[in-house]
Amino acid sequence: SPAYGNQEQQFPELPRTFVDIPVDKIEIARDWLRQREDVDASRLALYGVSKGAELALVAASKIEGISAVIAIVPTDVIWEGWGSGAEAGTTSSFSWRGQPLPFMPLPFMPYYKMEEEIAKFSDPNANARMRTPHDAGREAYPERLNEARIRVEAIDAPVFLVGGDKDDVWASGPMARTIKATRDAAGLSTELYVDPGAGHYLSGDGYAPMYAFLDEEDAAVEARLRVQAWQAMMVFLIENL
């Protein structure tokens, strides 16, 4: 529940920054749905985009009762937490039962730099390059990869992945391929859609207007992948729910 600048925090009981976000809150949502007469709680899916895809995959690897998982522009590891008041290199993005989960560090990305990059998304002439610290973290701390890795082989539900090799937020294309390879090795059902020319904005049906800061060629590639992935996702949900 962020509170950027002078904004009031909507839900004070939740973290205000990307630090120690409690994954176990998903259990509360699951149990609430199970109590509803208008919901078939035997058919629950998780859908997450970007940081939400990180959350969805971590949650599905730890929580029972999930029938399908959709992760759009995902990551294969848990990343360092960031935000106002967070000390660089010391915090995780997510926690489980009150304990921070192992994470990959984000070198060269203190809070103010992250804010600078986020601000570029509203400037059509600027290129927000949030991928740099993520790539640097993998290169600088290879010994931490296994511990920070999301245990996707522990997700017994089918998983649907969409990524882009031209992603400037983080390497969603390669990371989605890594997730699929890990699950393939475990004999688990995984569907993957990746385009070499696609970036980070791959959520949606492809028919809504694309972001103004994308050039025409990039917008066309991403729109095509959105359409393809959205239609395939509908089939995936019908088959698995």
Side-chain angles (χ1 to χ4, degrees):
S1 180
Y4 300 124
N6 296 321
Q7 177 185 349
E8 289 288 331
Q9 189 178 16
Q10 187 175 5
F11 303 106
E13 67 275 14
L14 295 177
R16 62 184 293 146
T17 57
F18 284 102
V19 173
D20 292 341
I21 298 170
V23 176
D24 38 292
K25 291 287 187 184
I26 300 294
E27 289 181 311
I28 297 174
R30 178 203 62 190
D31 294 343
W32 178 78
L33 288 167
R34 284 175 170 176
Q35 295 170 11
R36 294 183 61 90
E37 294 182 357
D38 59 340
V39 172
D40 182 351
S42 67
R43 297 187 295 168
L44 300 179
L46 288 177
Y47 180 102
V49 182
S50 191
K51 203 69 177 173
E54 186 177 344
L55 171 59
L57 291 168
V58 175
S61 74
K62 294 180 174 294
I63 296 172
E64 296 181 348
I66 306 301
S67 300
V69 181
I70 297 163
I72 312 296
V73 289
T75 170
D76 61 334
V77 297
I78 296 170
W79 291 99
E80 177 183 338
W82 61 271
S84 181
E87 185 178 348
T90 65
T91 58
S92 177
S93 288
F94 294 101
S95 66
W96 175 251
R97 309 241 190 273
Q99 297 299 314
L101 292 170
F103 63 90
M104 287 298 296
L106 291 173
F108 325 127
M109 188 54 88
Y111 177 65
Y112 73 92
K113 283 290 186 183
M114 189 71 84
E115 289 290 278
E116 286 180 7
E117 292 300 316
I118 290 174
K120 291 178 182 178
F121 287 117
S122 61
D123 182 353
N125 299 313
N127 180 31
R129 184 71 178 175
M130 295 175 67
R131 176 172 171 167
T132 301
H134 293 92
D135 291 346
R138 295 185 87 101
E139 183 176 351
Y141 300 97
E143 74 282 358
R144 296 181 63 160
L145 273 170
N146 185 58
E147 191 177 14
R149 186 177 63 82
I150 301 172
R151 266 48 187 180
V152 293
E153 69 276 15
I155 304 173
D156 56 8
V159 173
F160 185 95
L161 305 166
V162 182
D165 288 335
K166 204 175 176 182
D167 193 332
D168 274 340
V169 175
W170 59 19
S172 65
M175 292 192 293
R177 290 190 184 92
T178 297
I179 293 168
K180 187 175 190 310
T182 300
R183 288 179 53 82
D184 284 352
L188 297 168
S189 175
T190 312
E191 201 166 331
L192 172 67
Y193 292 85
V194 174
D195 192 293
H200 196 70
Y201 308 102
L202 301 178
S203 174
D205 58 14
Y207 295 99
M210 301 301 290
Y211 293 95
F213 53 79
L214 293 175
D215 64 36
E216 186 174 345
E217 182 178 350
D218 289 343
V221 171
E222 297 198 2
R224 283 194 295 269
L225 182 55
R226 278 192 190 187
V227 172
Q228 179 189 17
W230 183 267
Q231 293 173 348
M233 185 184 72
M234 292 296 103
V235 175
F236 171 83
L237 288 172
I238 291 169
E239 292 177 343
N240 293 293
L241 297 184

